[in-house]
Amino acid sequence: GDAILYQHIFWFMGHPEVYVLVLPAMGIVSEILPRMARRPIYGYKAIAVSSIMITLMSFFVWAHHMFTVGLGITAAVPFMIATMAVAIPSGIKVFNWTVSLYNSRIWLRTPMLYVLGFLAFFIIGGITGVFFPVVPVDIHFQDTYFVLGHFHYVVNAIFMAIAAAVFYYFPYMTGKMYNETLGRLSAILYTIGGAITYTLMLSLGYLGMPRRYYQPPPLPGMEELHSLATAGSMILAVGTVLIYIALLHGLIRGKPVKNRDDPWGAARIGQPDFYPVSHTDGAGLIHYNPHPWMSLVGAFSALPLVGVMFILKWGDWAVGALSLAIFTAMCIAWAYSEYFTRYRHLNGASRGLLDLRPWSFRLGALGHDPILAVALIIFSEIFLFGTLIASYFYYWYKAPTWPPPGTPHLDTLVPLINTVILLSSGVTMHIGYNYLRRGDVESFRSLATVTLILGSIFLSGQVVEYIRSGMPPMLNVFSATFYSLTSTHGLHVIMGLIAISLLIARSYNGTLPNNERGYGVAEAVTIYWHFVDLIWVVLVTILYLVPFGLPSLSA
Ligand SMILES: [Cu+2]
């Protein structure tokens, strides 16, 4: 292994992760702020575009966490510039939110207090964040409480946006109003407690308090500032408890709201919260297809990872198998409720109807575009495989000889046969999809079945190849990256085979043809399958053809 590479990979995940947290919070604020300020949001397009800019830029700034590792100035400066540039889209948002408040009629209910808290905390968290990309300043602030103060200001802002959303949507979900007095009190305590605690963290960091120490160094004022910060966190704790009491009180004894579809009267000011899809059947009834599985699969998507970790790290097959089984059962329940129940005759529009009951709280109308979904999957997969492939080249670049001495010579016969098989399965899938488009479900089913068989042969060939190579995964960095890459790819083949099986099953129960959605799903699976093929061609080249045929990179 390599500690620096590990840091790179960690922060390549870790930095965008921060935006995974903050972007939904920004979305919440952009929704609630204008409705509580009783006027439309200023610069909607600028806010939307800046979100996309933040998402893209977040992938190219990770090394700002590693300036003290010793990257060298050539590597540090581009990351310094890129990181400072992220402040621009964030600044655009803050500007638009602030201008939206100007000359408006601010309604100081609990959600708005939390939104205003978000603004204040996010501005301070953002400005203290711009200190770090400046390399010489960062060398001083690295691993001090200043980082903690900055980070907590941002995360506190995120939490306040979530609290705003919970209070704002509470009457929609329950039909009752939360306790306003307790709600406002919680927001005030949350603001005061957070401001005290995190401002003192910034001060402590500025004075030189290092992170991850259990005792402050014996410097004047340290002890006192720490005690005050702890007192601040107590106020924060009381505020947090009050949130739950205010909601619980509302749930049990809250006043029923007059209009549950629009409890805040947002439609009156021309900003209804949702645009329900008015899709009715012949009898004028609105159809719902409520099932919680999509949300539950999302919420429990960490289960398979945890399961695999239990198996690999502690050899605990029981817990591992149980986690995987629970998650698989949830996925099956989702697929069943979505395609094989009495709701299956509904088309996409009516499936996407808004359902505001707490267990199925989701806005489905936007979530049913399979092509968009597969494009997003492929976008994230490019980063996953890109990270693994980049790690492979990192080791290759650093190694004096590649593959390292002692690596068995890998024969190319089985992998090349496997390549032909996998590429042929791409052809059969594509032709099958074209048949489906022309309405020929039978031919699609036959060709998808051939694809399924070819894919399974590929997987068996992969297992044969693992055994034939006689190379244990723990041998050296080559074998480790070899198995990481090929098994990750194999997992994607398995997921593709599951998706194809689902298509075949749906071709029997009649939910595949006769509507645009059926083609869309088949098209999405076909695109995904081509992507799996493409990745394999890259892997065969870098794992078999180049290292055993060409001289080492560093030679
Ligand atoms: Cu970062």
Side-chain angles (χ1 to χ4, degrees), residues 11 14-16 18-19 58 61-65 83 150:
W11 285 116
H15 187 85
V18 180
Y19 295 108
S58 72
V61 297
W62 78 90
H64 62 218
H65 295 270
T83 306
H150 150 70

Short mmCIF file of all heavy atoms in Angstrom, two decimals, residues 11 14-16 18-19 58 61-65 83 150, ligand 1:
data_model
loop_
_atom_site.label_atom_id
_atom_site.label_comp_id
_atom_site.label_asym_id
_atom_site.label_seq_id
_atom_site.Cartn_x
_atom_site.Cartn_y
_atom_site.Cartn_z
N TRP A 11 -9.64 11.67 0.13
CA TRP A 11 -10.14 13.04 -0.05
C TRP A 11 -10.81 13.24 -1.39
O TRP A 11 -11.63 14.13 -1.56
CB TRP A 11 -9.03 14.07 0.17
CG TRP A 11 -8.75 14.20 1.63
CD1 TRP A 11 -7.60 13.89 2.27
CD2 TRP A 11 -9.67 14.64 2.65
NE1 TRP A 11 -7.74 14.10 3.62
CE2 TRP A 11 -8.99 14.56 3.88
CE3 TRP A 11 -10.99 15.08 2.63
CZ2 TRP A 11 -9.60 14.90 5.08
CZ3 TRP A 11 -11.59 15.42 3.83
CH2 TRP A 11 -10.89 15.34 5.04
N GLY A 14 -13.82 12.31 0.03
CA GLY A 14 -14.19 13.12 1.18
C GLY A 14 -14.57 14.54 0.86
O GLY A 14 -15.49 15.09 1.47
N HIS A 15 -13.91 15.17 -0.12
CA HIS A 15 -14.31 16.54 -0.39
C HIS A 15 -15.67 16.64 -1.06
O HIS A 15 -16.54 17.35 -0.56
CB HIS A 15 -13.25 17.35 -1.16
CG HIS A 15 -13.69 18.77 -1.24
ND1 HIS A 15 -13.44 19.67 -0.25
CD2 HIS A 15 -14.49 19.39 -2.12
CE1 HIS A 15 -14.05 20.80 -0.53
NE2 HIS A 15 -14.69 20.65 -1.67
N PRO A 16 -15.91 15.90 -2.17
CA PRO A 16 -17.26 15.95 -2.75
C PRO A 16 -18.35 15.55 -1.76
O PRO A 16 -19.48 16.04 -1.82
CB PRO A 16 -17.20 14.96 -3.93
CG PRO A 16 -15.76 14.94 -4.30
CD PRO A 16 -15.01 15.08 -3.01
N VAL A 18 -18.67 16.49 1.21
CA VAL A 18 -19.15 17.69 1.91
C VAL A 18 -20.29 18.33 1.11
O VAL A 18 -21.28 18.81 1.67
CB VAL A 18 -18.00 18.70 2.09
CG1 VAL A 18 -18.47 19.94 2.81
CG2 VAL A 18 -16.84 18.07 2.83
N TYR A 19 -20.16 18.30 -0.23
CA TYR A 19 -21.20 18.91 -1.07
C TYR A 19 -22.43 18.03 -1.15
O TYR A 19 -23.54 18.52 -1.37
CB TYR A 19 -20.65 19.21 -2.46
CG TYR A 19 -19.57 20.26 -2.38
CD1 TYR A 19 -18.25 19.94 -2.58
CD2 TYR A 19 -19.91 21.57 -2.03
CE1 TYR A 19 -17.26 20.91 -2.46
CE2 TYR A 19 -18.93 22.52 -1.90
CZ TYR A 19 -17.60 22.19 -2.12
OH TYR A 19 -16.63 23.13 -1.98
N SER A 58 -16.29 20.33 -7.37
CA SER A 58 -15.94 19.63 -6.13
C SER A 58 -15.01 18.45 -6.40
O SER A 58 -14.33 17.98 -5.49
CB SER A 58 -17.21 19.13 -5.44
OG SER A 58 -17.76 18.05 -6.15
N VAL A 61 -10.69 19.52 -6.31
CA VAL A 61 -10.11 20.36 -5.25
C VAL A 61 -9.58 19.54 -4.07
O VAL A 61 -9.13 20.11 -3.09
CB VAL A 61 -11.17 21.37 -4.73
CG1 VAL A 61 -11.59 22.32 -5.85
CG2 VAL A 61 -12.39 20.69 -4.17
N TRP A 62 -9.64 18.18 -4.18
CA TRP A 62 -9.44 17.36 -2.99
C TRP A 62 -8.10 17.56 -2.30
O TRP A 62 -7.99 17.44 -1.08
CB TRP A 62 -9.65 15.89 -3.35
CG TRP A 62 -8.49 15.26 -4.06
CD1 TRP A 62 -7.44 14.62 -3.48
CD2 TRP A 62 -8.26 15.22 -5.48
NE1 TRP A 62 -6.57 14.16 -4.47
CE2 TRP A 62 -7.05 14.52 -5.69
CE3 TRP A 62 -8.96 15.68 -6.59
CZ2 TRP A 62 -6.52 14.30 -6.96
CZ3 TRP A 62 -8.43 15.45 -7.85
CH2 TRP A 62 -7.24 14.78 -8.02
N ALA A 63 -7.05 17.90 -3.07
CA ALA A 63 -5.72 17.94 -2.45
C ALA A 63 -5.53 19.13 -1.51
O ALA A 63 -4.49 19.22 -0.86
CB ALA A 63 -4.64 17.93 -3.53
N HIS A 64 -6.54 20.02 -1.40
CA HIS A 64 -6.38 21.11 -0.43
C HIS A 64 -6.38 20.57 1.01
O HIS A 64 -6.07 21.31 1.94
CB HIS A 64 -7.44 22.22 -0.61
CG HIS A 64 -8.86 21.76 -0.41
ND1 HIS A 64 -9.88 22.25 -1.18
CD2 HIS A 64 -9.43 20.90 0.45
CE1 HIS A 64 -11.01 21.69 -0.79
NE2 HIS A 64 -10.77 20.87 0.19
N HIS A 65 -6.71 19.30 1.18
CA HIS A 65 -6.61 18.68 2.51
C HIS A 65 -5.21 18.15 2.76
O HIS A 65 -4.94 17.61 3.83
CB HIS A 65 -7.61 17.52 2.62
CG HIS A 65 -9.03 17.96 2.55
ND1 HIS A 65 -9.76 18.31 3.66
CD2 HIS A 65 -9.87 18.13 1.49
CE1 HIS A 65 -10.98 18.66 3.29
NE2 HIS A 65 -11.07 18.58 1.98
N THR A 83 -9.72 25.52 -5.50
CA THR A 83 -10.51 25.59 -4.27
C THR A 83 -11.06 26.99 -4.04
O THR A 83 -12.23 27.15 -3.65
CB THR A 83 -9.64 25.16 -3.07
OG1 THR A 83 -9.09 23.88 -3.34
CG2 THR A 83 -10.47 25.09 -1.81
N HIS A 150 -14.45 26.17 11.46
CA HIS A 150 -14.96 26.32 10.09
C HIS A 150 -15.93 25.20 9.75
O HIS A 150 -17.05 25.44 9.31
CB HIS A 150 -13.79 26.31 9.10
CG HIS A 150 -14.13 25.76 7.76
ND1 HIS A 150 -14.95 26.43 6.88
CD2 HIS A 150 -13.80 24.59 7.16
CE1 HIS A 150 -15.09 25.68 5.78
NE2 HIS A 150 -14.42 24.58 5.93
CU CU B 1 -12.28 19.83 1.07
#
